[in-house]
Amino acid sequence: MNEFVIALGWLGLYAPMALGAVGSIIGCALAGQAAIGAMLETESGHGKYLGVSAMPSSQLIYGIVVMFTLNREITETTAPGVFGIGLLAGLALLSSAVYQGKTCASAINASKAKPEIFGLSLAPSAIVEGFAVFAFIFALVISAGIPG
Amino acid sequence: MSLMDEPYTMLLASLPHLPAPGAAKDLPITRLQLSSRLKWLTPEDQQRLQRVEQALHWSHLPIELSDEQVIARAQAALEAVACDFLRPILLERLEMRTLIAALRRRARGETLPRERPWGQGRFLRRIETHYAEPDFGLGHLYPWLAQAQKHLQAEEPLELENLLLTQYWKQLARVDDPHAFDFSAVTLYVLRWEILHRSLRRQPEAAATRFDALVAQALESSPVSLEALA
């Protein structure tokens, strides 16, 4: 039982970084596919499409910061807290990265036909990013309550 | 759900926006370009799309096919699509075709064949029972039926074709497009492209201008001048 709790603690410690990375991989790839497709159709603005397709990479950075904040000696006392916060923060970061990738792809697709809405079409991606920031900030705040 | 091995995102992002038939002067993407982009689809999706096109577009339906064969092909396409979002859209299109078929039969003074299938959709029985009425009692659902009837009576096939294309476009415009990157979105795009293609193909002025431009271009690039041959 003791070892199992310790294992969960390590899982929770690495989860925000690993799940954030998985989300960023999927999100950036989705938006990147849209950017490549849009490049075939348009003559200019390729840089901004690529820039938008990189938006879902921020979740990985948040995951790394949460991982370092949670980093402490994993004991029976600290493991449950690290597991809970790390896993849930990681899941939030993963889903936000995937869905941000989808909204970025839609923004690229829409602004290709109507370039004047480019800025506005990024608003949904920014809102999704906001939820990832919430998960990130409160993971940092609440991790202060874990002993050790 | 497979997120990474599907080509829909890149494919749809690479396709240009399609303007409404009246607003377009040229096709934003040629059939050749569209076909080459659609090759990014998986073989299964290509087959599904082909079945939809074969069922809906007359260019894929040989004249020697009987009504039963056309209906059977459309039914098979509906079943093959296997998509709850697309099926009602395709069915409504087939229902519109059924309504036009009934209008044409009535204009020729024929009756509806009760012993064999002659159409598809929810309104077959209603059309049969209200066959004598100008709009088959469906004018509240399809207000364009009265106009179509007038064009048929006045023998105005071009106007009728224009009306139908407009209605097909409106039908697709009414669809609650989820703006997703999936097979439904690709099919909707191809259906819209076909309508636009049919609409533009029948503009004689545009065709004449295009022909003149092609002739001028060919003559410019030709090493032999016409004056020299004269």
Short mmCIF file of all heavy atoms in Angstrom, two decimals, chain A residues 12-58:
data_model
loop_
_atom_site.label_atom_id
_atom_site.label_comp_id
_atom_site.label_asym_id
_atom_site.label_seq_id
_atom_site.Cartn_x
_atom_site.Cartn_y
_atom_site.Cartn_z
N GLY A 12 1.57 11.74 -10.11
CA GLY A 12 0.99 13.08 -10.04
C GLY A 12 2.02 14.17 -10.28
O GLY A 12 1.70 15.23 -10.82
N LEU A 13 3.24 13.90 -9.88
CA LEU A 13 4.30 14.91 -10.06
C LEU A 13 4.60 15.13 -11.55
O LEU A 13 4.77 16.25 -12.01
CB LEU A 13 5.56 14.45 -9.32
CG LEU A 13 6.77 15.37 -9.41
CD1 LEU A 13 6.45 16.74 -8.82
CD2 LEU A 13 7.96 14.76 -8.67
N TYR A 14 4.64 14.02 -12.29
CA TYR A 14 5.02 14.13 -13.71
C TYR A 14 3.80 14.39 -14.60
O TYR A 14 3.95 14.83 -15.76
CB TYR A 14 5.72 12.84 -14.15
CG TYR A 14 6.44 12.98 -15.47
CD1 TYR A 14 7.48 13.92 -15.62
CD2 TYR A 14 6.08 12.23 -16.57
CE1 TYR A 14 8.13 14.07 -16.82
CE2 TYR A 14 6.74 12.37 -17.78
CZ TYR A 14 7.76 13.29 -17.90
OH TYR A 14 8.40 13.46 -19.11
N ALA A 15 2.57 14.16 -14.09
CA ALA A 15 1.36 14.25 -14.93
C ALA A 15 1.17 15.61 -15.60
O ALA A 15 0.86 15.64 -16.80
CB ALA A 15 0.13 13.89 -14.10
N PRO A 16 1.32 16.74 -14.89
CA PRO A 16 1.04 18.00 -15.58
C PRO A 16 1.95 18.23 -16.77
O PRO A 16 1.51 18.72 -17.82
CB PRO A 16 1.27 19.07 -14.51
CG PRO A 16 1.78 18.40 -13.32
CD PRO A 16 1.67 16.93 -13.49
N MET A 17 3.19 17.84 -16.63
CA MET A 17 4.13 18.04 -17.74
C MET A 17 3.81 17.07 -18.89
O MET A 17 3.70 17.47 -20.05
CB MET A 17 5.53 17.87 -17.15
CG MET A 17 6.65 17.33 -17.95
SD MET A 17 7.07 18.18 -19.41
CE MET A 17 7.75 16.79 -20.27
N ALA A 18 3.58 15.78 -18.56
CA ALA A 18 3.34 14.78 -19.62
C ALA A 18 2.00 15.02 -20.32
O ALA A 18 1.93 15.02 -21.55
CB ALA A 18 3.36 13.37 -19.02
N LEU A 19 0.95 15.25 -19.53
CA LEU A 19 -0.36 15.46 -20.14
C LEU A 19 -0.41 16.79 -20.90
O LEU A 19 -1.03 16.89 -21.96
CB LEU A 19 -1.46 15.42 -19.07
CG LEU A 19 -1.64 14.06 -18.38
CD1 LEU A 19 -2.72 14.13 -17.30
CD2 LEU A 19 -2.00 12.98 -19.39
N GLY A 20 0.26 17.79 -20.35
CA GLY A 20 0.36 19.07 -21.07
C GLY A 20 1.07 18.89 -22.39
O GLY A 20 0.67 19.46 -23.42
N ALA A 21 2.13 18.06 -22.39
CA ALA A 21 2.86 17.81 -23.64
C ALA A 21 1.99 17.08 -24.65
O ALA A 21 1.97 17.42 -25.84
CB ALA A 21 4.12 16.99 -23.34
N VAL A 22 1.24 16.08 -24.17
CA VAL A 22 0.35 15.34 -25.09
C VAL A 22 -0.66 16.29 -25.71
O VAL A 22 -0.90 16.30 -26.93
CB VAL A 22 -0.38 14.19 -24.33
CG1 VAL A 22 -1.47 13.58 -25.20
CG2 VAL A 22 0.61 13.12 -23.90
N GLY A 23 -1.26 17.14 -24.87
CA GLY A 23 -2.24 18.10 -25.38
C GLY A 23 -1.63 19.05 -26.38
O GLY A 23 -2.22 19.34 -27.43
N SER A 24 -0.45 19.55 -26.06
CA SER A 24 0.21 20.50 -26.97
C SER A 24 0.56 19.84 -28.30
O SER A 24 0.44 20.45 -29.36
CB SER A 24 1.47 21.06 -26.33
OG SER A 24 1.12 21.89 -25.25
N ILE A 25 0.99 18.59 -28.23
CA ILE A 25 1.32 17.87 -29.47
C ILE A 25 0.09 17.78 -30.37
O ILE A 25 0.12 18.13 -31.56
CB ILE A 25 1.83 16.44 -29.14
CG1 ILE A 25 3.21 16.49 -28.49
CG2 ILE A 25 1.87 15.58 -30.40
CD1 ILE A 25 3.63 15.19 -27.83
N ILE A 26 -1.04 17.36 -29.77
CA ILE A 26 -2.26 17.19 -30.58
C ILE A 26 -2.76 18.56 -31.06
O ILE A 26 -3.10 18.74 -32.23
CB ILE A 26 -3.35 16.47 -29.76
CG1 ILE A 26 -2.89 15.05 -29.41
CG2 ILE A 26 -4.67 16.40 -30.54
CD1 ILE A 26 -3.80 14.31 -28.45
N GLY A 27 -2.81 19.52 -30.15
CA GLY A 27 -3.34 20.85 -30.51
C GLY A 27 -2.51 21.52 -31.58
O GLY A 27 -3.06 22.06 -32.56
N CYS A 28 -1.18 21.50 -31.41
CA CYS A 28 -0.32 22.15 -32.41
C CYS A 28 -0.41 21.42 -33.75
O CYS A 28 -0.36 22.06 -34.81
CB CYS A 28 1.13 22.17 -31.93
SG CYS A 28 1.41 23.39 -30.65
N ALA A 29 -0.55 20.10 -33.70
CA ALA A 29 -0.62 19.35 -34.97
C ALA A 29 -1.92 19.66 -35.70
O ALA A 29 -1.92 19.84 -36.92
CB ALA A 29 -0.51 17.85 -34.69
N LEU A 30 -3.03 19.74 -34.96
CA LEU A 30 -4.32 20.07 -35.59
C LEU A 30 -4.26 21.45 -36.24
O LEU A 30 -4.63 21.63 -37.41
CB LEU A 30 -5.43 20.05 -34.55
CG LEU A 30 -6.00 18.69 -34.14
CD1 LEU A 30 -6.94 18.84 -32.96
CD2 LEU A 30 -6.72 18.04 -35.30
N ALA A 31 -3.83 22.44 -35.44
CA ALA A 31 -3.78 23.80 -35.97
C ALA A 31 -2.73 23.89 -37.08
O ALA A 31 -2.91 24.62 -38.06
CB ALA A 31 -3.46 24.77 -34.86
N GLY A 32 -1.65 23.13 -36.93
CA GLY A 32 -0.60 23.13 -37.95
C GLY A 32 -1.09 22.57 -39.28
O GLY A 32 -0.76 23.09 -40.35
N GLN A 33 -1.92 21.54 -39.21
CA GLN A 33 -2.49 20.98 -40.45
C GLN A 33 -3.35 22.03 -41.16
O GLN A 33 -3.29 22.16 -42.39
CB GLN A 33 -3.36 19.76 -40.13
CG GLN A 33 -2.55 18.52 -39.80
CD GLN A 33 -3.46 17.36 -39.46
OE1 GLN A 33 -4.55 17.53 -38.93
NE2 GLN A 33 -3.01 16.16 -39.74
N ALA A 34 -4.12 22.76 -40.36
CA ALA A 34 -4.96 23.82 -40.96
C ALA A 34 -4.08 24.90 -41.57
O ALA A 34 -4.38 25.42 -42.65
CB ALA A 34 -5.88 24.42 -39.90
N ALA A 35 -2.98 25.23 -40.88
CA ALA A 35 -2.07 26.27 -41.39
C ALA A 35 -1.45 25.83 -42.72
O ALA A 35 -1.37 26.61 -43.68
CB ALA A 35 -0.99 26.57 -40.37
N ILE A 36 -1.05 24.58 -42.79
CA ILE A 36 -0.44 24.08 -44.04
C ILE A 36 -1.47 24.09 -45.16
O ILE A 36 -1.19 24.50 -46.29
CB ILE A 36 0.13 22.65 -43.82
CG1 ILE A 36 1.29 22.70 -42.84
CG2 ILE A 36 0.59 22.06 -45.13
CD1 ILE A 36 1.70 21.34 -42.31
N GLY A 37 -2.69 23.65 -44.83
CA GLY A 37 -3.76 23.66 -45.84
C GLY A 37 -4.02 25.07 -46.33
O GLY A 37 -4.16 25.29 -47.54
N ALA A 38 -4.07 26.03 -45.40
CA ALA A 38 -4.34 27.43 -45.77
C ALA A 38 -3.22 27.99 -46.64
O ALA A 38 -3.46 28.82 -47.51
CB ALA A 38 -4.54 28.28 -44.53
N MET A 39 -2.00 27.54 -46.39
CA MET A 39 -0.86 28.02 -47.20
C MET A 39 -1.01 27.62 -48.67
O MET A 39 -0.56 28.32 -49.56
CB MET A 39 0.45 27.44 -46.67
CG MET A 39 0.94 28.12 -45.43
SD MET A 39 2.49 27.37 -44.97
CE MET A 39 2.42 27.55 -43.22
N LEU A 40 -1.63 26.46 -48.89
CA LEU A 40 -1.84 26.02 -50.27
C LEU A 40 -2.81 26.93 -51.00
O LEU A 40 -2.76 27.08 -52.21
CB LEU A 40 -2.41 24.60 -50.28
CG LEU A 40 -1.46 23.46 -50.01
CD1 LEU A 40 -2.23 22.16 -49.94
CD2 LEU A 40 -0.41 23.37 -51.10
N GLU A 41 -3.71 27.53 -50.25
CA GLU A 41 -4.79 28.29 -50.85
C GLU A 41 -4.50 29.79 -50.92
O GLU A 41 -5.05 30.49 -51.76
CB GLU A 41 -6.07 28.02 -50.03
CG GLU A 41 -7.32 28.72 -50.46
CD GLU A 41 -7.56 28.68 -51.95
OE1 GLU A 41 -7.24 27.67 -52.58
OE2 GLU A 41 -8.04 29.70 -52.48
N THR A 42 -3.65 30.29 -50.01
CA THR A 42 -3.43 31.73 -49.94
C THR A 42 -2.04 32.09 -50.45
O THR A 42 -1.13 31.26 -50.49
CB THR A 42 -3.57 32.22 -48.49
OG1 THR A 42 -2.70 31.44 -47.67
CG2 THR A 42 -4.99 32.09 -48.00
N GLU A 43 -1.90 33.37 -50.81
CA GLU A 43 -0.62 33.85 -51.34
C GLU A 43 0.20 34.55 -50.26
O GLU A 43 1.40 34.76 -50.41
CB GLU A 43 -0.87 34.83 -52.49
CG GLU A 43 -1.59 34.21 -53.69
CD GLU A 43 -0.82 33.05 -54.30
OE1 GLU A 43 0.42 33.11 -54.33
OE2 GLU A 43 -1.46 32.07 -54.72
N SER A 44 -0.45 35.00 -49.20
CA SER A 44 0.27 35.74 -48.15
C SER A 44 -0.31 35.39 -46.78
O SER A 44 -1.28 34.64 -46.69
CB SER A 44 0.12 37.24 -48.41
OG SER A 44 -1.24 37.59 -48.36
N GLY A 45 0.32 35.94 -45.75
CA GLY A 45 -0.18 35.70 -44.38
C GLY A 45 0.22 34.35 -43.83
O GLY A 45 -0.36 33.90 -42.84
N HIS A 46 1.20 33.71 -44.46
CA HIS A 46 1.58 32.37 -43.99
C HIS A 46 2.16 32.41 -42.58
O HIS A 46 1.95 31.49 -41.79
CB HIS A 46 2.59 31.74 -44.96
CG HIS A 46 2.02 31.59 -46.34
ND1 HIS A 46 2.81 31.35 -47.44
CD2 HIS A 46 0.77 31.65 -46.80
CE1 HIS A 46 2.04 31.26 -48.52
NE2 HIS A 46 0.80 31.45 -48.15
N GLY A 47 2.90 33.48 -42.28
CA GLY A 47 3.53 33.60 -40.97
C GLY A 47 2.51 33.64 -39.84
O GLY A 47 2.69 32.98 -38.82
N LYS A 48 1.45 34.39 -40.07
CA LYS A 48 0.44 34.50 -38.99
C LYS A 48 -0.28 33.16 -38.78
O LYS A 48 -0.62 32.81 -37.66
CB LYS A 48 -0.54 35.64 -39.26
CG LYS A 48 -1.48 35.44 -40.40
CD LYS A 48 -2.36 36.69 -40.61
CE LYS A 48 -3.29 36.43 -41.79
NZ LYS A 48 -4.02 37.63 -42.18
N TYR A 49 -0.45 32.40 -39.87
CA TYR A 49 -1.07 31.08 -39.70
C TYR A 49 -0.19 30.17 -38.85
O TYR A 49 -0.65 29.46 -37.97
CB TYR A 49 -1.32 30.41 -41.06
CG TYR A 49 -2.31 31.13 -41.94
CD1 TYR A 49 -2.15 31.17 -43.32
CD2 TYR A 49 -3.41 31.77 -41.40
CE1 TYR A 49 -3.06 31.83 -44.13
CE2 TYR A 49 -4.32 32.43 -42.20
CZ TYR A 49 -4.15 32.46 -43.57
OH TYR A 49 -5.04 33.12 -44.37
N LEU A 50 1.12 30.21 -39.13
CA LEU A 50 2.04 29.38 -38.36
C LEU A 50 2.07 29.82 -36.90
O LEU A 50 2.14 29.00 -35.98
CB LEU A 50 3.44 29.45 -38.96
CG LEU A 50 3.74 28.46 -40.09
CD1 LEU A 50 5.18 28.59 -40.52
CD2 LEU A 50 3.46 27.03 -39.65
N GLY A 51 2.04 31.15 -36.71
CA GLY A 51 2.05 31.69 -35.34
C GLY A 51 0.84 31.20 -34.55
O GLY A 51 0.98 30.77 -33.40
N VAL A 52 -0.33 31.24 -35.17
CA VAL A 52 -1.55 30.78 -34.50
C VAL A 52 -1.45 29.29 -34.20
O VAL A 52 -1.88 28.83 -33.13
CB VAL A 52 -2.78 31.08 -35.38
CG1 VAL A 52 -4.02 30.43 -34.80
CG2 VAL A 52 -3.00 32.57 -35.49
N SER A 53 -0.87 28.54 -35.12
CA SER A 53 -0.81 27.08 -34.91
C SER A 53 0.09 26.71 -33.74
O SER A 53 0.02 25.59 -33.25
CB SER A 53 -0.34 26.38 -36.19
OG SER A 53 1.02 26.66 -36.43
N ALA A 54 0.93 27.66 -33.29
CA ALA A 54 1.81 27.36 -32.14
C ALA A 54 1.15 27.71 -30.81
O ALA A 54 1.72 27.46 -29.75
CB ALA A 54 3.12 28.14 -32.28
N MET A 55 -0.06 28.30 -30.86
CA MET A 55 -0.72 28.73 -29.60
C MET A 55 -0.89 27.61 -28.58
O MET A 55 -0.68 27.82 -27.39
CB MET A 55 -2.08 29.37 -29.91
CG MET A 55 -1.99 30.86 -30.22
SD MET A 55 -3.61 31.57 -30.55
CE MET A 55 -4.21 31.84 -28.90
N PRO A 56 -1.28 26.40 -28.99
CA PRO A 56 -1.48 25.36 -27.98
C PRO A 56 -0.20 24.85 -27.32
O PRO A 56 -0.25 23.90 -26.54
CB PRO A 56 -2.17 24.23 -28.77
CG PRO A 56 -2.70 24.86 -29.99
CD PRO A 56 -1.74 25.95 -30.32
N SER A 57 0.93 25.44 -27.60
CA SER A 57 2.17 24.98 -26.95
C SER A 57 2.30 25.52 -25.53
O SER A 57 3.10 25.02 -24.74
CB SER A 57 3.39 25.37 -27.79
OG SER A 57 3.36 26.76 -28.00
N SER A 58 1.52 26.55 -25.19
CA SER A 58 1.66 27.16 -23.85
C SER A 58 1.29 26.18 -22.74
O SER A 58 1.84 26.25 -21.63
CB SER A 58 0.80 28.41 -23.75
OG SER A 58 -0.54 28.09 -24.06
#
